[in-house]
Amino acid sequence: MARFNSDIPTKGGFSFDLCQRNEMLLKKGVQLPSFRKTGTTIVGLVFQDGVILGADTRATEGPIVADKNCEKIHYMAPNIYCCGAGTAADTEAVTDMVSSQLQLHRYATGRESRVITALTLLKSHLFSYQGHVSAALVLGGVDVTGPHLHTVYPHGSTDTLPFATMGSGSLAAMAVFESNFKEGLTRDEGIKLVSEAICSGIFNDLGSGSNVDVCVITKGHTEYLRNHLLPNPRTYVSSRGYSFVKGHTEVLTTKITPLKSKALTTEVDAMEE
Amino acid sequence: MDLDLNAPHSMGTTIIGVTYDGGVVLGADSRTSTGMYVANRASDKITQLTDNVYICRSGSAADSQVISDYVRYFLHQHTIQLGQPATVKVAANLVRLLSYQNKNMLQMGVIIGGWDKYEGGQIFSVPLGGTILKQPFAIGGSGSSYLYGFFDQAWKEGMSKDEAEKLVVKAVSLAIARDGASGGVVRTVIINADGVTKNFYSGDSLPLWHEELEPQNSLLDILSSSSPEPMST
């Protein structure tokens, strides 16, 4: 390839080398692989002792359910958790990255992380990518300044709210919240309301489904209730289940090939420093 | 119209800044929309830059939040270096510089208002593109289209603090009545020599304007009551 000049140093940024090939493939009729999105219903609310986050567990790849029981409530810090909607890879990557940054910050400051720190790190990262990192997040936690709940949008804008919903099922969940939310809920009332809102998303939104995950964050203590509710169990036509006894399937031909095991022994020197 | 929940967050908005004898009154609605869905019905669009300067934000929520954060940071450093509170003119010009130099990438229109000991209450408007305009009053956002005529008629020099605040609340509620992208509550911030006062007017305390319906408890009440007069040409 006489065109390629090895003197030019590789610069950062997007590499457009494969664009022509992709265009050619598109013309031939090969479809681009679709992104795995978390269709999603994610919610958060502030109750009397702290914050409760909730999420469904369905991950979709176009019309197919790619993961029936994925985890959408991501760990950020012992006192901060983050629900993620949008492209699964983006939410996973951005929450992991900010979680690491928070840990380094904890080592440097010697203090518990604050929710607003996580918020600023997330919003500056997402803003600098101008919405191309498709991560819509519900960030919640309790720190020395009290309980906090924020929503972060892919373009980098944030809102601070007492209750919030995001994702394709956000309208269904918000309807439940707007009807039943009040200030100063107890822990059980809060968990019940969050579960109701997620169930509303699961049953009314095609992009959300399977189970309900809940995370309760209070001062000094966090409870991650994985699969708190399982309203979509696997059902079988026969209640006795199925047994596949030998003799059910007709054998047409049998061929047995013995695999000879070869063991080679060679003299080797012991490892030395 | 399909609900596009991935649309960038924008603040349809009505924002107003008005000077009065002794200070300024800033006002805004509280609706943040994502396409046709109201993402936040109680947002606070009047953000603090310093103790004595506030900014009303409209346009892209992300862009205006990030610019406000940068300007707050620069003003904080400037205050430390200067040894006294920053002036409203400096704050407005910092916003203008960022807005003008990044005009290709930003989509926001803002109104900066505050009080300083040199010039008193001042209002600066920094619309799309990064112009800076010092004005006795300024309006911005999608709802402002409905207020140009109103202000031409109702604005006068030398109002008192209460007159100015009443004017702002009336104006925002008029814009909310006509603009789909504005709604929620009316927030006002009054800045003068004595400090900052923040007020909140909930949706149901605002007056209803021409042909807006009274909220009804039951459909049966609406059906049994006489129908409203049809609009005449």
Side-chain angles (χ1 to χ4, degrees):
Chain A
M1 294 274 197
R3 274 188 298 150
F4 286 97
N5 198 335
S6 53
D7 297 346
I8 300 170
T10 46
K11 292 198 182 103
F14 189 72
S15 163
F16 291 92
D17 298 341
L18 290 173
C19 285
Q20 261 191 324
R21 176 206 80 151
N22 290 344
E23 251 185 71
M24 188 263 303
L25 285 173
L26 271 173
K27 277 204 202 89
K28 282 206 174 158
V30 174
Q31 270 131 357
L32 275 176
S34 62
F35 304 113
R36 177 179 327 172
K37 306 193 97 218
T38 42
T40 309
T41 307
I42 50 174
V43 305
L45 59 74
V46 176
F47 74 112
Q48 69 185 27
D49 303 323
V51 167
I52 305 179
L53 301 174
D56 74 304
T57 60
R58 174 182 286 183
T60 51
E61 229 165 61
I64 299 168
V65 176
D67 190 346
K68 288 183 278 192
N69 203 1
C70 73
E71 280 186 34
K72 299 186 192 183
I73 306 185
H74 307 281
Y75 169 87
M76 296 285 260
N79 58 321
I80 308 172
Y81 275 73
C82 186
C83 307
T87 306
D90 287 342
T91 58
E92 195 64 53
V94 87
T95 49
D96 264 356
M97 184 193 78
V98 173
S99 174
S100 309
Q101 287 177 337
L102 284 176
Q103 189 165 44
L104 289 169
H105 193 248
R106 277 201 294 285
Y107 289 140
T109 56
R111 289 175 170 78
E112 189 186 58
S113 296
R114 299 189 188 193
V115 183
I116 205 166
T117 315
L119 185 72
T120 310
L121 289 167
L122 285 166
K123 80 152 56 180
S124 13
H125 181 80
L126 291 174
F127 182 76
S128 59
Y129 281 88
Q130 289 289 294
H132 292 289
V133 173
S134 176
L137 312 165
V138 171
L139 175 72
V142 180
D143 56 34
V144 280
T145 46
H148 297 277
L149 179 69
H150 303 281
T151 52
V152 187
Y153 289 84
H155 287 263
S157 61
T158 60
D159 283 315
T160 307
L161 295 159
F163 57 93
T165 66
M166 296 278 261
S168 55
S170 63
L171 269 66
M174 187 49 99
V176 172
F177 271 172
E178 286 281 22
S179 318
N180 300 324
F181 178 83
K182 52 187 208 295
E183 307 252 284
L185 289 163
T186 64
R187 183 178 179 278
D188 292 328
E189 285 175 334
I191 293 178
K192 182 163 170 292
L193 185 58
V194 162
S195 308
E196 264 174 36
I198 298 289
C199 284
S200 169
I202 286 173
F203 294 117
N204 300 103
D205 173 43
L206 299 177
S208 312
S210 299
N211 318 120
V212 180
D213 284 351
V214 175
C215 185
V216 184
I217 311 173
T218 54
K219 191 170 162 58
H221 180 63
T222 309
E223 254 182 276
Y224 183 33
L225 306 167
R226 169 76 171 145
N227 289 359
H228 173 67
L229 280 180
L230 297 120
N232 293 302
R234 177 83 171 84
T235 50
Y236 294 92
V237 174
S238 163
S239 57
R240 286 174 291 123
Y242 301 100
S243 63
F244 298 98
V245 176
K246 242 187 183 174
H248 266 86
T249 317
E250 191 191 341
V251 177
L252 298 173
T253 52
T254 314
K255 179 180 172 189
I256 303 172
T257 312
L259 295 168
K260 284 192 207 129
S261 54
K262 290 187 188 175
L264 287 166
T265 46
T266 44
E267 289 282 328
V268 283
D269 293 331
M271 272 214 285
E272 274 174 69
E273 285 287 295
Chain B
M1 185 181 169
D2 266 348
L3 213 56
D4 181 14
L5 291 167
N6 290 323
H9 234 23
S10 78
M11 295 177 297
T13 309
T14 306
I15 50 173
I16 300 179
V18 152
T19 55
Y20 71 90
D21 185 23
V24 296
V25 180
L26 299 174
D29 73 309
S30 69
R31 179 172 288 186
T32 310
S33 43
T34 315
M36 283 284 125
Y37 178 63
V38 176
N40 188 349
R41 61 177 167 86
S43 37
D44 189 1
K45 302 181 190 180
I46 311 179
T47 310
Q48 184 183 23
L49 293 180
T50 69
D51 288 338
N52 56 318
V53 181
Y54 278 66
I55 184 172
C56 298
R57 303 177 290 110
S58 81
S60 159
D63 291 348
S64 62
Q65 277 179 14
V66 169
I67 296 302
S68 306
D69 287 345
Y70 270 115
V71 173
R72 193 182 310 122
Y73 167 65
F74 294 140
L75 278 175
H76 188 209
Q77 288 186 318
H78 173 68
T79 307
I80 292 170
Q81 290 166 347
L82 196 64
Q84 57 184 30
T87 58
V88 187
K89 192 185 220 179
V90 167
N93 274 290
L94 282 170
V95 176
R96 183 262 303 186
L97 284 168
L98 284 173
S99 211
Y100 180 75
Q101 286 167 0
N102 296 294
K103 61 158 74 193
N104 294 325
M105 290 172 291
L106 293 173
Q107 204 174 46
M108 54 171 228
V110 297
I111 296 174
I112 298 109
W115 184 94
D116 60 43
K117 68 183 191 203
Y118 299 107
E119 300 283 327
Q122 299 145 76
I123 292 286
F124 290 89
S125 175
V126 179
L128 239 55
T131 323
I132 183 168
L133 283 168
K134 182 169 190 296
Q135 297 171 302
F137 72 89
I139 54 178
S142 58
S144 66
S145 319
Y146 308 100
L147 297 176
Y148 285 99
F150 172 73
F151 269 91
D152 282 342
Q153 189 254 347
W155 158 262
K156 51 193 206 302
E157 281 280 346
M159 283 189 287
S160 72
K161 179 169 78 134
D162 291 326
E163 282 180 326
E165 204 194 1
K166 278 201 179 63
L167 178 68
V168 165
V169 173
K170 185 175 182 189
V172 178
S173 77
L174 279 168
I176 286 174
R178 289 291 179 180
D179 178 31
S182 302
V185 305
V186 179
R187 294 190 200 270
T188 62
V189 174
I190 307 173
I191 313 172
N192 51 32
D194 305 324
V196 176
T197 315
K198 293 189 200 176
N199 289 322
F200 164 88
Y201 297 89
S202 70
D204 49 9
S205 70
L206 299 173
L208 289 176
W209 300 107
H210 181 57
E211 287 185 4
E212 278 189 300
L213 290 172
E214 287 280 347
Q216 303 282 2
N217 281 324
S218 157
L219 183 60
L220 296 172
D221 292 340
I222 303 174
L223 291 171
S224 59
S225 68
S226 55
S227 48
E229 281 181 33
M231 279 206 288
S232 51
T233 46

